[in-house]
Amino acid sequence: MPRVLIVEDEPALRRALAINLKARHYEVDAVGTGTDALAAAATGELDLVILDLGLPDLDGVEVIEGLRGWSQVPIIVLSAREAQAQKVRALDAGADDYVTKPFGMDELLARIRAALRRAEGTEPVPAVVATASFTLDLAAKRATRDGAEVRLTPTEWHLIEALVRRPGTLVPASQLLAEVWGPAYEKETNYLRVYFAQLRRKLEAVPGTPEHFITEPGLGYRFEP
Amino acid sequence: MPRVLIVEDEPALRRALAINLKARHYEVDAVGTGTDALAAAATGELDLVILDLGLPDLDGVEVIEGLRGWSQVPIIVLSAREAQAQKVRALDAGADDYVTKPFGMDELLARIRAALRRAEGTEPVPAVVATASFTLDLAAKRATRDGAEVRLTPTEWHLIEALVRRPGTLVPASQLLAEVWGPAYEKETNYLRVYFAQLRRKLEAVPGTPEHFITEPGLGYRFEP
DNA sequence: GCCCCGCGTCAAGATGGCGTCAAGATCGTC
DNA sequence: GACGATCTTGACGCCATCTTGACGCGGGGC
């Protein structure tokens, strides 16, 4: 479910927003100051920010600019002020939408859906992994070796994703098994042997001496870009 | 300069909007009915649509749905109505923003800038898709194969739109089902089997060995241009 | 030098997804 | 109210994939 950060200094409204969003199964963080908002945005993976302009510490536009310095996350601004100039400044600073208090919760939820829908199409990260002998497009599910298309099965993709997410890092066998087959399969290391053999046969230049899918005996496996 | 289509039945407001936008150096088209709006959108390359909901011929939501069937162009809705339900319907139908009359021209211009700024990154999806054996006009809902017209049912169009939006990219079966039949149908993969069989029979040169509607077993489907 | 455990390899059986077809159910139209 | 088109639902055979077991190899410990 999408993660939403609520930035609202008034406790009553903050709680009301959080409850309403949680009831729609969003994951909700809520803070009361602009400083906390920037800190929360810096640590977590956010899908949307709901930002009240009337904050005690920072001007709302500063918060927007602080976020836009490094993030494309959609921002919906709330404000009690009717001032046109305020709206224009917020929108030009990088806000996606502007809702004037008092607002209907239905409308806000609809605007949240609209903002999330727009954001979901734009995939800034192509999620492509390339090595000397093959390339992997995790998003499009395409694999090529020496320019030729290679077919991978669903389990092979799942295993590759679990491993490639941490390039150069050793991933314990139990963790791979838990992620791909489920926690109940943590001891079935023979699955890994079978599937890594298939992956090496399909992707490695010399399957006998793998250069990218490395076995660390007794520990796990490592992907070397 | 960005091309903007104004859809507004009241001549005075239509003129006022057109003059203001032209003064900001936008390229402006202006029409007074929903039918003209869809026709204008189908022919030209548009960057933004400003849509009044109170049109004489079509319901505003129908216009939004008609556009969203094949185009990702940003839509800003204007409306005199304060009704929450109206806003929610328009936004969920695919509108990007909703401005209530009376509005300040500064605010509208700021929202236009915000919508265009967002759309900047996303490349447009062509309304006409052509392959070696068939062509699809998503805007006009026309399909031809070897020059002859082919009839597609509404569900077939809906499925094609969901798939063709990401050419060459794998689209998960659950996503196609959620988009065409609704989130409750994510497990009904037999629908996809039936409808892809129909599409291949109607469009592929050799339905038995499809070249454009590719099944990735266990994952989903892929459109290959 | 021998034994044992973990890894790679292979192949056969089980499984589940896919394509196909056709019969109802439903919707829209005249 | 009847007709046609479209959508839904179920059944069936086939095949890629997954699972499972057996075997050989090699390195480390005794």
Side-chain angles (χ1 to χ4, degrees), chain A residues 36-191:
Chain A
D36 289 347
L38 291 174
T43 63
E45 296 275 312
L46 290 177
D47 297 306
L48 185 83
V49 174
I50 298 176
L51 173 66
D52 189 329
L53 282 195
L55 295 175
D57 55 342
L58 295 179
D59 181 41
V61 173
E62 294 180 79
V63 179
I64 297 172
E65 287 169 348
L67 283 168
R68 277 289 173 267
W70 56 275
S71 171
Q72 304 303 312
V73 62
I75 302 174
I76 298 180
V77 167
L78 301 181
S79 175
R81 323 186 193 182
E82 269 293 348
Q84 290 289 325
Q86 182 83 13
K87 293 191 188 181
V88 173
R89 280 179 58 217
L91 289 168
D92 281 341
D96 290 73
D97 204 343
Y98 192 107
V99 181
T100 305
K101 297 183 199 173
F103 55 84
M105 189 56 67
D106 285 348
E107 176 185 349
L108 179 61
L109 289 168
R111 288 188 185 270
I112 289 172
R113 286 194 294 274
L116 288 173
R117 163 161 38 80
R118 280 196 303 265
E120 114 188 341
T122 66
E123 211 161 306
V125 187
V128 174
V129 178
T131 72
S133 59
F134 60 86
T135 63
L136 300 171
D137 187 331
L138 285 311
K141 293 281 185 296
R142 301 194 88 124
T144 58
R145 177 183 153 200
D146 303 331
E149 184 107 351
V150 177
R151 269 195 50 77
L152 301 183
T153 70
T155 310
E156 288 163 2
W157 278 114
H158 207 155
L159 182 58
I160 278 197
E161 282 171 9
L163 185 68
V164 164
R165 199 172 306 145
R166 295 79 128 181
T169 309
L170 174 98
V171 184
S174 60
Q175 191 171 330
L176 291 173
L177 287 163
E179 187 159 338
V180 177
W181 283 273
Y185 290 75
E186 282 193 0
K187 300 294 176 62
E188 304 285 334
T189 54
N190 48 330
Y191 285 15

Side-chain angles (χ1 to χ4, degrees), chain B residues 109-150:
Chain B
L109 289 168
R111 289 188 184 270
I112 289 172
R113 285 194 294 274
L116 288 174
R117 163 162 37 81
R118 276 196 306 265
E120 212 165 73
T122 66
E123 70 267 29
V125 177
V128 177
V129 178
T131 71
S133 59
F134 61 86
T135 63
L136 301 171
D137 188 333
L138 298 181
K141 295 275 185 294
R142 296 178 81 93
T144 58
R145 176 181 155 201
D146 304 330
E149 175 114 16
V150 177

Side-chain angles (χ1 to χ4, degrees), chain A residues 97 106-114 117-118, chain B residues 61 64 75 77 86-98:
Chain A
D97 204 343
D106 285 348
E107 176 185 349
L108 179 61
L109 289 168
R111 288 188 185 270
I112 289 172
R113 286 194 294 274
R117 163 161 38 80
R118 280 196 303 265
Chain B
V61 173
I64 296 172
I75 302 174
V77 167
Q86 181 84 13
K87 293 190 186 180
V88 173
R89 281 178 55 216
L91 289 168
D92 281 341
D96 289 72
D97 203 343
Y98 192 107

